Amino acid sequence: MTQTFDAIVIGTGQAGPPLAVRLGNAGRKTAIIERKRVGGTCVNNGCIPTKTLIASARAAHVARRGADFGVMLDAAPRVDMPRAKARKDAIVRQSNTGVTDWLKRAPNVTLIEGHARFEGPHRVRVNDSLLEAPQIFINVGGRAAVPDMPGLAEVSYLTNSSMMDVDFLPEHLLIVGGSYIGLEFAQMYRRFGSRVTVIEMGPRLIGREDDDVSQAIKEILEGEGIAFRLNAQCIALARRDGGIAVNVSCEEEPREIIGSHVLLAVGRVPNTHDLGLDTAGVKTDARGYIVVDDELRTNVSGVWALGDANGRGAFTHTSYNDYEIVAANLLEGGARRVSQRIAAYALFIDPPLGRVGMTEREVRASGRKVLAGMMPMTRVGRARERSETQGFMQVLVDAETEKILGAAPLGTEGDEAIHCILDVMAAGAPYTVLQRAMHIHPTVCELLPTLLGDLKPLT
Ligand SMILES: Cc1cc2nc3c(=O)[nH]c(=O)nc-3n(C[C@H](O)[C@H](O)[C@H](O)COP(=O)(O)OP(=O)(O)OC[C@H]3O[C@@H](n4cnc5c(N)ncnc54)[C@H](O)[C@@H]3O)c2cc1C
């Protein structure tokens, strides 16, 4: 029997649940389908569990540095891994249960467990049921990429998902991939007490950042004892002496590094291969991302794609912003667009990197006249008081319009300080508004007016 709804939402990531609830509240009979755990990646094996474990790792780090602050411990701190994992599981459970209950209580919303697959542009099969609706919203997210590396089938490896079950301390964790996810795990496990080696194919870490940012991050992590092997062009895996060997180079010695466990952190792929998109006629690009317009509509009328699967963002906040755009346009007669948002994200190592707008490389390539301000964190009182003076803050300004083009605070509170800049950019205001605002002492943001008062042409 076919069940008819006003709307079907596939996936309970960061866009699907709020959209289903909004539609339900607006009186639209809505089905929301989830094949695994409600809340998707962020809640179950992404942002929330990693940031919870990062908090445990930071507690261990601060305890080890106790003497720097005059706090003396009688023995070296030790991380109880099952306990750290249990804390993580409890916090994840809270969020997972929260979203599930929210959906179950929402008026006009039916939560259905199972894998959804299109059987036509407006028809979806879940288990033995057929569902139909004039409007379908895809929020299927992504998963860890597992490329076809030589030897991978012979070894057991971890991904960000299976890392969530780890309740022991790997003796030597090899992390293949020196980008955002790999680096967060690298510092986390180093602070838990593992030896950690990061293996990266490129010549530097997080290649999308500016050179000085990549270099500073490498130095911060090396300072904690993390080893790096860059330019690893010949990656292959093999079992070796009860552990795992990762071949890193075809020529240079040493050619391989041996560890106890391997984590693959080499990117993400969208969950679009098993969705029946062909049957529905929904177009994807060469990498499997669903093609959408500026209002997140696919090429099929009445079908939208939100979140990581549309390739227009890879973050919780971009997915949630997709929901806000679609809901405003559908339910409030709005005209919101993806292109109106300013790119922003953070790398949650400690100290964190906040990023908004363009990088220095991008502004140089744009050919504009640019003013740049740079301040080492050693000049920031808040950083000195905490003995956390690593990093710097950089802001780039268009010399003609006086608008801020981009910023990268790498340092204590960098993930919060970035919002002082982001909000001025979102307001469309010139940098002088931020420069003239009175800020609270002692904070990281209080130094932004000083930094902006000393802008120099970018040469
Ligand atoms: C380790 C890690 C750390 C991260 N940290 C951060 C961070 O700190 N900040 C940040 O902003 N972002 C972070 N992210 C990214 C963030 O998790 C995602 O961008 C975010 O979850 C948005 O995803 P989404 O809404 O597209 O869908 P997802 O959250 O991926 O959810 C999609 C859901 O759809 C379900 N699904 C898929 N196919 C089907 C189907 N056919 N039928 C039914 N259900 C289906 C899936 O089971 C899943 O539950 C992190 C990611 C990882 C992996």
Side-chain angles (χ1 to χ4, degrees), residues 125-146:
R125 176 171 293 282
V126 191
N127 311 320
D128 295 332
S129 308
L130 267 183
L131 276 51
E132 274 184 353
Q135 295 186 329
I136 300 191
F137 304 90
I138 305 170
N139 179 217
V140 292
R143 63 190 186 283
V146 180

Side-chain angles (χ1 to χ4, degrees), residues 9-17 33-48 50-51 112 114-117 126 139-144 160-161 164 181 184-185 268 271-272 274-275 306-310 313-320 322 345-346 348:
V9 178
I10 305 177
T12 63
Q14 290 299 306
I33 308 158
E34 174 54 55
R35 67 179 178 189
K36 279 188 188 153
R37 298 182 67 192
V38 171
T41 309
C42 183
V43 166
N44 297 295
N45 46 43
C47 339
I48 292 180
T50 55
K51 273 74 228 176
I112 301 172
H115 176 92
R117 183 185 286 274
V126 191
N139 179 217
V140 292
R143 63 190 186 283
N160 71 281
S161 299
M164 294 303 115
I181 291 176
E184 289 183 11
F185 276 113
R268 311 267 307 156
N271 288 326
T272 52
D274 52 2
L275 199 51
L306 302 86
D308 291 9
N310 66 26
F315 302 100
T316 281
H317 45 277
T318 47
S319 182
Y320 191 80
D322 284 359
Y345 57 88
F348 295 98

Side-chain angles (χ1 to χ4, degrees), residues 100-312:
T100 309
D101 291 348
W102 187 44
L103 288 172
K104 285 186 175 165
R105 279 199 317 265
N108 304 313
V109 175
T110 309
L111 174 61
I112 301 172
E113 281 176 39
H115 176 92
R117 183 185 286 274
F118 279 93
E119 290 205 349
H122 295 102
R123 184 179 306 144
V124 169
R125 176 171 293 282
V126 191
N127 311 320
D128 295 332
S129 308
L130 267 183
L131 276 51
E132 274 184 353
Q135 295 186 329
I136 300 191
F137 304 90
I138 305 170
N139 179 217
V140 292
R143 63 190 186 283
V146 180
D148 193 14
M149 292 173 173
L152 197 61
E154 291 159 36
V155 301
S156 56
Y157 59 86
L158 295 154
T159 64
N160 71 281
S161 299
S162 47
M163 282 302 280
M164 294 303 115
D165 299 326
V166 172
D167 63 354
F168 57 88
L169 192 65
E171 193 275 313
H172 184 183
L173 181 63
L174 306 180
I175 300 179
V176 181
S179 202
Y180 305 91
I181 291 176
L183 295 184
E184 289 183 11
F185 276 113
Q187 189 180 46
M188 182 198 300
Y189 272 81
R190 181 67 193 140
R191 289 180 169 189
F192 285 158
S194 296
R195 276 172 69 203
V196 174
T197 303
V198 176
I199 297 162
E200 165 59 42
M201 285 180 94
R204 60 190 181 85
L205 301 177
I206 30 176
R208 120 189 216 181
E209 302 300 334
D210 287 324
D211 291 11
D212 53 352
V213 172
S214 290
Q215 185 56 29
I217 287 171
K218 182 162 173 276
E219 284 165 16
I220 288 168
L221 297 177
E222 278 173 340
E224 294 193 20
I226 296 168
F228 290 96
R229 178 58 202 257
L230 305 179
N231 295 307
Q233 294 290 344
C234 219
I235 296 179
L237 296 99
R239 277 199 242 166
R240 187 85 81 247
D241 308 330
I244 297 171
V246 179
N247 193 83
V248 286
S249 172
C250 298
E251 291 121 32
E252 262 176 68
E253 297 293 340
R255 291 192 184 193
E256 62 175 31
I257 300 172
I258 297 174
S260 58
H261 297 80
V262 169
L263 164 63
L264 289 188
V266 289
R268 311 267 307 156
V269 288
N271 288 326
T272 52
H273 61 297
D274 52 2
L275 199 51
L277 290 175
D278 286 358
T279 319
V282 174
K283 268 195 208 151
T284 54
D285 69 12
R287 296 189 304 151
Y289 289 98
I290 299 171
V291 178
V292 290
D293 67 11
D294 215 13
E295 290 181 59
L296 303 161
R297 293 178 292 223
T298 69
N299 62 305
V300 173
S301 171
V303 180
W304 288 255
L306 302 86
D308 291 9
N310 66 26
R312 302 289 293 264

Side-chain angles (χ1 to χ4, degrees), residues 20-103:
V21 172
R22 274 293 288 283
L23 291 166
N25 284 339
R28 304 204 188 169
K29 193 181 161 203
T30 304
I32 180 163
I33 308 158
E34 174 54 55
R35 67 179 178 189
K36 279 188 188 153
R37 298 182 67 192
V38 171
T41 309
C42 183
V43 166
N44 297 295
N45 46 43
C47 339
I48 292 180
T50 55
K51 273 74 228 176
T52 304
L53 290 168
I54 282 172
S56 289
R58 178 166 162 82
H61 176 71
V62 172
R64 278 186 205 110
R65 289 193 64 198
D68 295 351
F69 299 85
V71 178
M72 309 315 287
L73 301 178
D74 295 335
R78 179 185 61 83
V79 178
D80 181 330
M81 291 296 288
R83 209 164 157 148
K85 178 179 176 289
R87 174 177 177 273
K88 181 268 292 176
D89 288 342
I91 289 171
V92 166
R93 202 160 37 244
Q94 235 175 21
S95 297
N96 167 268
T97 314
V99 187
T100 309
D101 291 348
W102 187 44
L103 288 172

